[in-house]
Amino acid sequence: LVLNRELEIQKSVAENAAVELDRYNKQLELSSRYKSEFLANMSHELRTPLNSMLILSQLLIENRSNTLSEEELGYVSVIHSSGSDLLAMINDILDFSKVEAGKMQVEMDAVNLTELPALLTGYFDKTAAKRSLEFSVQVEEDVPDLFFTDEMRMHQILRNLLSNAFKFTEHGFVQVKISCAENPFAVQDYQQERMLAFAVIDSGIGISEANRELVFEAFRQADGTTARKYGGTGLGLSISLQLARLLGGHITLQSEEGKGSTFTLYLPYLQEETDIPLIPLGA
Ligand code: ADP
């Protein structure tokens, strides 16, 4: 009898705990949704006035170069470039909140890979020259001209990886190597047999083994001093990885401290606008 009573007490304690846990989980879910909504709304509201500042300062640079003094033009250029940096950060926060809320949409379309090298060089040539770094884009022969993915998101990931490569490299080179390879991942996770690999290679500061997984986490940077020295929000890699997964791909990292890093974006080699369900691994 005593044993039965004891069992009943324990059962009721367990039931109460389960109810508590359920309530707690619901609260957690709700506050996470509020946070994402707040981030999305705030970023949207901040973008509108910032866009006016950017457009107007651009107009001053283009149309008033004769009437403004060199010093004044310098000030306007700083306003414009600081505004652009701020906009990039706000866009990162907006993207991050969309991915977190599961609201990031991808639009698959035919992408012409033959145009990519010129596009990337056009985008980063000036940065490379300013930093006295060699920059090259190399395409292997077996890379197809066309494949299907979300072009805008693919560019966004590559721009993120390349901006980091330039940011964390003081001497030497930044390279992009595009190849078509056997799927290096477990096939049950990534259904495509062949994948396109976009390797972004730099001869920069490198990342220690302890930090190699951590840098893909949101708001994380390899070490506390990085933020002060190089700036940044710590969101770029987290967003890039989530986007790569939404496209059915992945990002890998190889690095050696003091020697450099290679971030490789893998995307499935889809030959047609296919219905193959993309697997947002862990998303
Ligand atoms: P952010 O660049 O805004 O700090 P990221 O998510 O893009 O955020 O990168 C996270 C961290 O990963 C960086 O702060 C840096 O410590 C490290 N990192 C990223 N790319 C490189 C690279 N190419 N070389 C060395 N460290 C890197």
Side-chain angles (χ1 to χ4, degrees):
L1 205 70
V2 173
L3 203 66
N4 263 351
R5 178 94 189 104
E6 190 61 31
L7 271 177
E8 251 170 46
I9 291 173
Q10 280 191 8
K11 205 173 135 205
S12 117
V13 168
E15 275 168 8
N16 279 345
V19 171
E20 267 307 295
L21 191 68
D22 196 43
R23 217 167 49 131
Y24 175 75
N25 277 339
K26 279 193 183 125
Q27 265 177 0
L28 210 64
E29 223 171 82
L30 206 64
S31 58
S32 161
R33 217 184 65 211
Y34 287 153
K35 188 192 74 185
S36 298
E37 278 171 10
F38 168 75
L39 283 177
N41 289 341
M42 185 200 67
S43 315
H44 186 75
E45 292 301 315
L46 286 175
R47 269 208 307 197
T48 315
L50 193 54
N51 274 328
S52 315
M53 276 167 60
L54 282 172
I55 293 169
L56 295 178
S57 55
Q58 182 68 33
L59 275 179
L60 279 177
I61 294 169
E62 281 169 11
N63 300 338
R64 291 282 188 272
S65 54
N66 296 333
T67 40
L68 291 178
S69 72
E70 209 168 294
E71 197 182 2
E72 286 165 337
L73 262 182
Y75 294 155
V76 180
S77 298
V78 174
I79 292 174
H80 191 265
S81 68
S82 308
S84 304
D85 290 347
L86 197 55
L87 187 62
M89 281 188 229
I90 290 169
N91 284 339
D92 268 1
I93 295 173
L94 195 60
D95 278 349
F96 174 74
S97 56
K98 264 196 210 153
V99 172
E100 259 214 327
K103 286 192 184 146
M104 179 65 86
Q105 306 272 341
V106 292
E107 281 173 38
M108 309 297 274
D109 212 343
V111 173
N112 189 344
L113 275 174
T114 55
E115 292 165 0
L116 191 60
L119 206 112
L120 292 179
T121 342
Y123 207 87
F124 285 98
D125 254 0
K126 267 195 198 149
T127 316
K130 227 194 278 173
R131 311 279 318 277
S132 307
L133 295 170
E134 256 178 61
F135 179 50
S136 61
V137 183
Q138 197 181 313
V139 187
E140 306 267 299
E141 270 185 14
D142 57 356
V143 171
D145 287 350
L146 284 182
F147 85 117
F148 279 79
T149 193
D150 183 321
E151 187 169 26
M152 195 183 94
R153 296 298 171 194
M154 177 184 86
H155 287 171
Q156 183 179 356
I157 299 169
L158 289 174
R159 276 207 309 269
N160 268 340
L161 298 181
L162 276 164
S163 305
N164 277 345
F166 280 105
K167 187 156 117 181
F168 296 106
T169 303
E170 314 242 326
H171 310 283
F173 63 85
V174 173
Q175 267 176 14
V176 182
K177 273 192 190 157
I178 307 170
S179 57
C180 194
E182 290 288 312
N183 179 354
F185 307 103
V187 175
Q188 67 269 26
D189 291 338
Y190 294 88
Q191 300 174 350
Q192 229 54 39
E193 273 172 28
R194 290 184 76 71
M195 288 192 139
L196 285 154
F198 304 81
V200 175
I201 310 161
D202 68 57
S203 60
I205 61 171
I207 299 169
S208 69
E209 201 179 339
N211 285 329
R212 266 172 233 160
E213 275 189 25
L214 190 145
V215 292
F216 287 100
E217 285 174 22
F219 304 108
R220 297 300 287 265
Q221 300 180 316
D223 70 85
T225 55
T226 316
R228 259 170 281 134
K229 187 166 173 200
Y230 298 96
T233 54
L235 281 179
L237 281 179
S238 155
I239 294 169
S240 298
L241 180 60
Q242 303 262 33
L243 286 176
R245 285 172 166 173
L246 278 176
L247 296 173
H250 196 36
I251 298 178
T252 61
L253 165 61
Q254 288 160 310
S255 186
E256 206 176 322
E257 258 189 303
K259 291 216 163 149
S261 310
T262 300
F263 284 87
T264 308
L265 163 68
Y266 286 94
L267 291 178
Y269 175 25
L270 302 177
Q271 285 161 283
E272 50 196 284
E273 207 165 353
T274 162
D275 292 325
I276 294 176
L278 297 171
I279 303 178
L281 280 174

